[in-house]
Amino acid sequence: MGTVQFTSSATAHGGREGHVRSSDGVVDFDTSMPGTPRAKKLDNSTNPEQLFAAGYAACFDSALALVSAKARVKFDSEVTANVSLMKDESDNGFKIGVKLQVKGTGIEKDQLEELVHQAHQVCPYSKATRGNIDVSLEVI
């Protein structure tokens, strides 16, 4: 294991129909499955996929900034992580899949595609999910 840079902690109670809170209180949300009665009552509730999407999008955009800086390429980027909860036919359970959509302003599409693939190799979320879930990359 590498040298720890920092550790973030969050605690969940009640799972998908409960509450999640980070140790510093910045994240403090009720959780609910989209479309459930609880979700309809709680306007500001979230779900694990939404939280994962936020983390992956931010992490991937940072990885893209890192590889771009090393290549001495400057442009504006925006990353959207679409995280889907899906039925897993192999065990009759559930799994997630991710589609990362990357927009770049001030850069040619071919060059952006190359940098996106490089970022996918160094992003900690991409490393953690590699071989475990389907992740697709789309350059817009």
Side-chain angles (χ1 to χ4, degrees):
M1 193 165 171
T3 304
V4 174
Q5 301 298 308
F6 68 89
T7 300
S8 295
S9 300
T11 302
H13 181 262
R16 291 181 174 275
E17 299 293 318
H19 195 86
V20 64
R21 186 177 192 281
S22 62
S23 58
D24 62 3
V26 172
V27 173
D28 193 358
F29 297 111
D30 288 317
T31 54
S32 61
M33 283 288 289
T36 63
R38 179 178 168 85
K40 292 175 184 168
K41 286 193 301 187
L42 301 172
D43 291 335
N44 293 322
S45 65
T46 189
N47 58 70
E49 291 71 31
Q50 191 172 51
L51 295 168
F52 187 81
Y56 203 162
C59 189
F60 195 88
D61 201 31
S62 290
L64 184 58
L66 176 70
V67 298
S68 299
K70 285 182 179 181
R72 296 189 173 141
V73 177
K74 292 185 179 186
F75 65 98
D76 291 320
S77 62
E78 178 181 289
V79 177
T80 301
N82 301 284
V83 177
S84 300
L85 179 66
M86 303 174 290
K87 191 74 173 158
D88 187 347
E89 303 303 328
S90 70
D91 66 2
N92 210 27
F94 296 93
K95 63 182 181 179
I96 61 171
V98 177
K99 180 179 186 179
L100 294 173
Q101 295 175 306
V102 182
K103 294 180 186 177
T105 305
I107 187 171
E108 295 294 321
K109 187 175 182 180
D110 290 348
Q111 188 175 29
L112 178 57
E113 286 175 347
E114 181 180 322
L115 292 170
V116 165
H117 287 285
Q118 290 175 23
H120 193 46
Q121 296 306 307
V122 301
C123 173
Y125 274 65
S126 293
K127 287 180 179 182
T129 60
R130 190 167 291 120
N132 298 312
I133 66 171
D134 291 332
V135 177
S136 65
L137 305 172
E138 179 184 8
V139 174
I140 301 172

